[in-house]
């Protein structure tokens, strides 16, 4: 029995890990359109406050919460992909064991 084909899942896992690393560096490319707009809104609001001579505290907190929510989303996605990969590997192992035990030896 051949090995289970997990190449697509492995590629998706690697890509999600790259996205997670990019979010930790606060890069914009892994964000969805909605998340990008929210980050830009928070940045614009914070810069407006700074120009006006006020504290950008609320905008900074909002930006931190946005980055945290993106990290949570990507971590959840990564966990789901890893769980699916493990399920496929386990199914293949079970099928292989069943085939071996059904022999007449």
């Amino acid at each position: 029995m051949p090995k289970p084909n997990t190449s697509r899942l492995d590629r998706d896992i690697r890509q999600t890990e790259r996205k997670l690393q990019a979010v930790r560096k606060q890069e914009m490319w892994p964000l969805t359109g909605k998340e990008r707009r929210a980050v830009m809104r928070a940045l614009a609001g914070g810069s407006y406050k700074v120009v006006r001579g006020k504290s950008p505290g609320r905008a900074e907190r909002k930006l931190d919460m946005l980055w945290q929510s993106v990290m949570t989303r990507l971590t959840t996605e990564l966990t789901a992909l890893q769980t699916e990969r493990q399920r496929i590997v386990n199914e293949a192992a079970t099928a292989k064991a069943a085939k071996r035990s059904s022999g007449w030896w």
Side-chain angles (χ1 to χ4, degrees):
M1 184 149 190
K3 285 183 160 182
N5 187 8
T6 60
S7 60
R8 182 189 60 81
L9 283 172
D10 291 337
R11 185 183 66 240
D12 290 344
I13 288 171
R14 283 192 305 272
Q15 183 179 12
T16 305
E17 287 172 345
R18 281 184 43 231
K19 286 181 180 181
L20 195 55
Q21 290 298 323
V23 167
R24 286 186 181 125
K25 297 177 188 174
Q26 294 188 350
E27 295 177 8
M28 295 284 284
W29 68 266
L31 304 180
T32 63
K34 183 179 178 181
E35 292 165 346
R36 283 188 187 135
R37 287 189 299 273
V39 167
M40 295 308 287
R41 254 192 327 271
L43 287 172
S47 61
Y48 177 77
K49 291 285 187 174
V50 168
V51 168
R52 302 278 294 181
K54 298 181 181 180
S55 172
R58 181 184 295 175
E60 287 177 353
R61 284 191 302 276
K62 188 174 187 179
L63 200 54
D64 287 341
M65 286 184 356
L66 285 167
W67 287 115
Q68 191 63 35
S69 69
V70 172
M71 284 180 62
T72 302
R73 176 182 62 85
L74 288 173
T75 303
T76 304
E77 186 178 323
L78 181 62
T79 303
L81 288 169
Q82 289 171 337
T83 303
E84 180 64 18
R85 183 187 186 286
Q86 190 61 45
R87 185 189 63 79
I88 290 172
V89 169
N90 287 346
E91 282 180 3
T94 304
K96 185 175 182 178
K99 184 177 180 185
R100 281 190 178 178
S101 67
S102 67
W104 58 275
W105 289 103

